[in-house]
Amino acid sequence: MWGRLWPLLLSFLTATAVPGPSLRRPSRELDATPRMTIPYEELSGTQHFKGRAQNYSTLLLEEASARLLVGARGALFSLNAHNIGDGTHKEIHWEASPEMQSKCHQKGKNNQTECFNHVRFLQRLNATHLYACGTHAFQPLCAAIDAEAFTLPTSFEEGKEKCPYDPARGFTGLIIDGGLYTATRYEFRSIPDIRRSRHPHSLRTEEAPMHWLNDAEFVFSVLVRESKASAVGDDDKVYYFFTERAAEEGSGSFAQSRSSHRVARVARVCKGDLGGKKILQKKWTSFLKARLICHIPQYETLRGVCSLEADTSARTHFYAAFTLTTQWKTLEASAICRYDLAEVQAVFAGPYMEYQDGVRRWGRYEGGVPEPRPGSCITDSLRSRGYNSSQDLPSLVLDFVKLHPLMARPVVPTRGRPLLLKRSVRYTHLTGTPVTTPAGPTYDLLFLGTADGWIHKAVVLGSGMHIIEETQVFKEPQSVENLVISPTQHSLYVGAPSGVIQLSLSSCSRYRSCYDCILARDPYCGWDPGTHACVVTTTGANRSQGSRTALIQDIERGNRGCEGNRDTGPPPPLKTRSVLRGDDVLLPCDQPSNLARALWMLNGSMGLSDGQDGYRVGVDGLLVTDTQPEHSGNYGCYAEENGLRTLLASYSLTVRPATPAPAPQAPAMPGAQLAPDMRLLYVLAIATLGGLCLILASSLFYVACLRRGGRGHRQKYSLGRASRAGGSAVQLQTVSGQCPGEEDGDDGEGAGGLEGGCLQIIPGEGAPAPPPPPPPPPPAELTNGLVALPSRLRRMNGNSYVLLRQSNNGVPAGPCSFAEELSRILEKRKHTQLVEHLDESSV
Ligand SMILES: *[C@@H]1O[C@H](CO)[C@@H](O)[C@H](O)[C@H]1NC(C)=O
Ligand SMILES: *[C@@H]1O[C@H](CO)[C@@H](O)[C@H](O)[C@H]1NC(C)=O
Ligand SMILES: *[C@@H]1O[C@H](CO)[C@@H](O)[C@H](O)[C@H]1NC(C)=O
Ligand SMILES: *[C@@H]1O[C@H](CO)[C@@H](O)[C@H](O)[C@H]1NC(C)=O
Ligand SMILES: *[C@@H]1O[C@H](CO)[C@@H](O)[C@H](O)[C@H]1NC(C)=O
Ligand SMILES: *[C@@H]1O[C@H](CO)[C@@H](O)[C@H](O)[C@H]1NC(C)=O
């Protein structure tokens, strides 16, 4: 257990040691809980494509012809972008021959995963042809494919310069004006490089006297049309994003004394670069790179990058997903940062770094910079001075370029800090699109893929991100490898090892009331007061129509606009519950939003608070313990979110006086004979759990909020009053919500008394084995809904799931109130059972 705490403490210490505005803010503030959780079972309206191949990792969307082209292992597919699962797809089988595969195996490569033709590159070459490259069992091949006929040509091209040998290597490639711009680890030796091929001037990076790239893993590249509307006749540029081993280790204020210190980078080259004439012949003369920081030192492993509005460089910006850089694999967390192109440009126009031979380290270059400025593109002013191309540049400049590829200043995120720091999630890919709302403002909508097959849809707000929903798109946990948005089809395509999924960009009809619609804060959704429905603001390529401007939206704050609107949705039916005095009763109420707080009202007034008068407020209902006649009345369950309140369920509870019963211990009853043994068991269980709980509470205080999300299971979040307040005391409570390995039959009918923070899984070996669980009760139809209780207790015993919450309300919240709670519930449980037997015998 302490082993788990170390990385946390360590990262905490390092975080406080490094200056910077981003690190003063507690990371909790930048975490965001997805508002809705859509598990695989509840997924609807999706299309699925899966051929015989696997590894559907290369996607190319052709909007004009509405085709989605897919590169997989041993195959290429052309799918109908309207509906990828309609069965009208075309397929090219393209696998390495068995001889090639066995040769690959002989070279020591894995014949189960690596010795295949993984298609890594797929782009439009010209009006008639596509261009594709595959690893081809460690002998890369490329082919120009007739897009219409969709068949392989008879002759192939050598792929050595264009495609990685190793299918698992990072790769990014573009075709610009017929030239291939690819960045990956080339050849059998896995040399990192940025290359231009199929071009009159093939170029690559410099290797001597120093490597411009160090063990680089490429993530993304994009062409930014900086020539368009440029007043200085600037050139278009290609930007590359990657991680590499830090050469400047031990220098600057970001020094880390770690052995394999890898950092994120952004590099750029000019499209018009032709290389040097004598110096830097067939090498880039415009290569510059800079460090990309998000939330250092913890988040430095770049996983995905997307660019928005790359067509208009004045507005171009990037989003990047980073994961935690740590050797502790149990810790998963991700960060999202936004970067403006203007900031990247400023860094490339700033001071350079230099390797100082004397002290053998990189430091800021303080000397004079030759003219024209090394690494710049050819602009009008250079042309006017006779520098028509990079080949005309003076030797002095090219010599400088050779030795100064790295800029001194790092690229910092917009506003100097991350937009999101998400615990328990490993993002593997992201994409985004600007969405213009009918009222005018444009919001960036991001789709983030996780390592276990979920998609997070998030809207970027000024201060951070709001995660609209998390959707489980693959039943089997698998890494999301590619994401493509089609505004025309209003679809998102997801590429993963097992297949391709097509999802709608929005599902506004899910929101039934005006409040629900604005609380979602989905820029695609607005409430139409005319039709009383939450509708999509834009459909396909068509911009919003005039009538749509009346739509109610509040992306910024998510709570204004529905005042005076009667569209609160159909009222929930009134359910009646009748119990005997002294019984416990659970009034189920499931909050569809993970951000909502349950609020209970009795007789239309008085918010019931947890722990008061025998009430326990939980994430899935209200538990009334030891009911008294005063508990009778009408109960309303409200969801309180973002200052808005909506009614979810209403109950009419009647507490009947207990009939003068014969002594429960009557010898005639079989249940009663068991009672003393049972009681002994309970006492034993309680005592052990109490001890266990003490140990856990003390050791887990700091781990409180490092929750591991349940994979492939619905994750329950709750934002109670306590967790929001950032409290002082720690309280252990029973677990609600579903956990891995749990039965599925008792949704919402579980034990109550649960409001709070985070679920922590504690390995069984860390604690003494708990006693055998109490025997399950006979199945019963109890009106008080406590049927499911023992199974939940069993889960706690067997799997040691403990809900930890921080609380600072004045209620006695000692670490062991869990045991007290448990004993009380068990006591009641027994009582209820006996009462039920009485009922049966009296019939
Ligand atoms: C991979 O190689 C092993 C050992 O040579 C062989 O037994 C196995 O059949 C091969 N698998 C495939 C899929 O070729
Ligand atoms: C496109 O490229 C292919 C392969 O290089 C070539 O055969 C074809 O003629 C080109 N088509 C056009 C329209 O340029
Ligand atoms: C291909 O998919 C398999 C699972 O089907 C996965 O184990 C493997 O890592 C994938 N390979 C690549 C190169 O993505
Ligand atoms: C650059 O181009 C201009 C006009 O095209 C030409 O007059 C000039 O000689 C060229 N300069 C060099 C150095 O090639
Ligand atoms: C877009 O609008 C035009 C007319 O305004 C209509 O004909 C067309 O069907 C619309 N397209 C879509 C995809 O809604
Ligand atoms: C709520 O109303 C019921 C009857 O309508 C009444 O019996 C009960 O005492 C009321 N409870 C409270 C706390 O006002």
Side-chain angles (χ1 to χ4, degrees), residues 177-193:
D177 304 336
L180 259 63
Y181 293 70
T182 54
T184 187
R185 304 278 284 258
Y186 297 92
E187 302 168 36
F188 213 77
R189 293 175 296 150
S190 223
I191 311 156
D193 205 354

Side-chain angles (χ1 to χ4, degrees), residues 241-300:
F241 294 83
F242 54 98
T243 51
E244 70 168 353
R245 199 172 320 128
E248 73 273 29
E249 194 175 326
S251 66
S253 57
F254 309 113
Q256 289 302 311
S257 53
R258 272 179 279 158
S259 51
S260 63
H261 183 214
R262 294 182 70 84
V263 297
R265 297 264 195 232
V266 54
R268 75 106 209 267
V269 295
C270 303
K271 193 184 81 177
D273 198 340
L274 303 180
K277 217 169 214 154
K278 288 200 201 92
I279 299 158
L280 290 182
Q281 201 183 9
K282 291 186 185 293
K283 302 282 162 64
W284 299 103
T285 64
S286 55
F287 176 88
L288 292 174
K289 66 178 181 181
R291 180 155 181 200
L292 192 66
I293 65 175
C294 179
H295 189 67
I296 54 166
Q298 299 105 320
Y299 298 87
E300 304 222 63

